[in-house]
Amino acid sequence: MKFIDLRSDTVTQPTPAMREAMYRAEVGDDVFGEDPSINRLQEMAADRLGKEAALFVVSGTMANLVALLTHCGRGDEAIVGDRSHTFLFEQGGMAALGSIMPFPVPNQPDGTLRLADVESAIRGDDEHLARTRLVCLENTHNMCHGTPLTAEYTSQAAQLAHSRGLRVHLDGARVFNAAAALKVDVRALVQDVDSVMFCLSKGLCAPVGSILCGSADFIAEARRARKVVGGGMRQAGILAAAGIVAIEQMADRVGEDHARAKQLAHGLAEIPGVDVAPVATNILYFRLAEQVSKTPEEVRDELAKRGILVGARVDGRFRAVTHYWISDEDIQATIEAVRAVV
Ligand SMILES: Cc1ncc(COP(=O)(O)O)c(C=O)c1O
């Protein structure tokens, strides 16, 4: 059976152009800095984001952890959103591996942190208190409906942080989705942050990898942090080759996925018993209304039997994520299947 897999954009298979590039990739020992494909990917990524330097790492989780380990020392504190990926879904790596204390402040429904909340979370100079070092933002915000943070908001948050001697890290796993949704150059969304990571392996379809960008000094330190967490790779140019195709061919097309997410939202909203949340990028959340007698798990399983895979969360929400391998026909088939099942 052919599955229409909407559980996440992480399920994306590499494109034929990526497989070809991987086959032909020139490689070397990257711990020695000698992998030409990785070096090219890093230069290209830094240039694309308007930063001095970049580092290829195996995952988004590792990129965030390496950034935190680089910005913060033992006992330092990082202000994070209470619905952020870093706080909720990375096993508390900053605390477990870095002795860094997360200070969660509420994410607003649009994924932002209220600047007043950030301000009041910043600790003063007092020997009783941890030292606040970092503010972490997420763009687009996964748990807050895939909403993009604007360049204006990011600049204001960075200005506040910098004025208090803090740094800013952006989890930009889907920052190209944010740029497409806001119709701005991605550089505008990251110009004021000190570090930013983005994932090659989500909507950009590469099989493995994320990129951490920042100043040359920051990336030199981050290389050390990557090594200590076991992330120094050798002939990984075979993976970087797919990442190069991701940046060259995929980063500018993600708006098509947003259009399909909107088509899906529109179709689902017409089904009695389905409540659809506003959709801004490629991530769509919906719920069953009270009159529906089936549980979310039953609906998820019945959809799966029809070849449609969606995520069902413990809070009762469904999550459907559009990506390169989801076509207009797949969207129509999904709407028809949800109508039939609900
Ligand atoms: C916003 C965000 N940050 C970080 C990650 C972690 O990426 P990875 O799964 O590559 O570790 C994810 C994964 O879904 C994510 O959605």
Side-chain angles (χ1 to χ4, degrees):
M1 185 196 266
K2 176 196 174 256
F3 282 99
I4 298 172
D5 196 344
L6 292 156
R7 289 170 302 163
S8 176
D9 47 10
T10 58
V11 302
T12 42
Q13 296 278 320
T15 64
M18 287 177 183
R19 291 178 189 269
E20 179 68 23
M22 292 171 80
Y23 178 69
R24 298 193 181 284
E26 275 184 73
V27 297
D29 189 326
D30 181 50
V31 174
F32 296 172
E34 290 174 1
D35 189 302
S37 301
I38 293 185
N39 291 341
R40 187 163 161 239
L41 170 65
Q42 291 175 164
E43 279 162 26
M44 182 185 279
D47 180 57
R48 189 71 202 257
L49 267 72
K51 297 290 182 197
E52 278 176 12
L55 186 67
F56 181 51
V57 298
V58 300
S59 66
T61 301
M62 184 182 279
N64 285 333
L65 176 63
V66 163
L68 275 143
L69 292 175
T70 308
H71 285 300
C72 301
R74 188 179 159 86
D76 286 345
E77 199 163 59
I79 296 172
V80 294
D82 66 346
R83 315 202 69 203
S84 65
H85 195 278
T86 309
F87 183 56
L88 292 177
F89 301 127
E90 296 175 14
Q91 269 195 38
M94 70 173 90
L97 304 176
S99 300
I100 301 160
M101 198 152 83
F103 188 131
V105 306
N107 273 117
Q108 300 306 307
D110 63 358
T112 59
L113 307 177
R114 269 199 206 113
L115 297 187
D117 292 342
V118 172
E119 180 124 46
S120 55
I122 301 171
R123 301 196 191 251
D125 184 12
D126 178 325
E127 70 179 21
H128 294 88
L129 306 177
R131 285 194 172 118
T132 315
R133 290 280 186 220
L134 186 68
V135 176
C136 298
L137 301 174
E138 185 175 312
N139 195 8
T140 63
H141 203 289
N142 185 358
M143 291 293 280
C144 298
H145 305 126
T147 311
L149 306 187
T150 63
E152 293 71 29
Y153 170 78
T154 309
S155 296
Q156 284 168 9
Q159 212 173 4
L160 166 64
H162 292 154
S163 72
R164 302 292 300 271
L166 311 182
R167 295 205 178 146
V168 181
H169 170 66
L170 179 68
D171 175 342
R174 298 182 181 82
V175 76
F176 285 104
N177 293 89
L182 297 167
K183 298 190 171 42
V184 295
D185 188 318
V186 70
R187 290 185 184 93
L189 300 177
V190 307
Q191 64 187 2
D192 294 319
V193 302
D194 301 283
S195 59
V196 49
M197 82 84 162
F198 69 93
C199 293
L200 298 163
S201 60
K202 298 194 164 64
L204 307 193
C205 286
V208 176
S210 291
I211 299 277
L212 180 62
C213 297
S215 69
D217 287 347
F218 172 82
I219 291 298
E221 276 304 302
R223 261 189 95 85
R224 288 185 58 83
R226 181 185 68 169
K227 192 77 173 74
V228 79
V229 294
M233 293 182 283
R234 304 294 175 175
Q235 288 73 27
I238 205 156
L239 303 173
I244 290 169
V245 177
I247 292 178
E248 284 181 336
Q249 297 182 9
M250 309 304 281
D252 290 329
R253 63 146 301 283
V254 291
E256 293 171 30
D257 304 332
H258 303 178
R260 292 200 176 93
K262 289 198 175 95
Q263 275 173 37
L264 181 59
H266 197 258
L268 294 179
E270 288 179 348
I271 302 173
V274 177
D275 293 335
V276 184
V279 57
T281 55
N282 65 329
I283 300 178
L284 169 68
Y285 285 94
F286 60 97
R287 294 184 176 276
L288 302 176
E290 271 177 19
Q291 76 256 30
V292 178
S293 56
K294 292 179 181 168
T295 67
E297 291 72 26
E298 283 167 347
V299 169
R300 177 198 59 199
D301 294 347
E302 285 183 40
L303 286 172
K305 284 192 194 128
R306 293 166 181 260
I308 316 280
L309 303 181
V310 295
R313 301 203 162 245
V314 279
D315 61 8
R317 290 188 299 168
F318 293 89
R319 181 171 175 262
V321 185
T322 54
H323 52 75
Y324 180 70
W325 297 102
I326 299 294
S327 65
D328 290 338
E329 295 72 41
D330 294 337
I331 296 294
Q332 284 318 312
T334 303
I335 295 166
E336 289 319 313
V338 174
R339 190 190 301 280
V341 169
V342 170

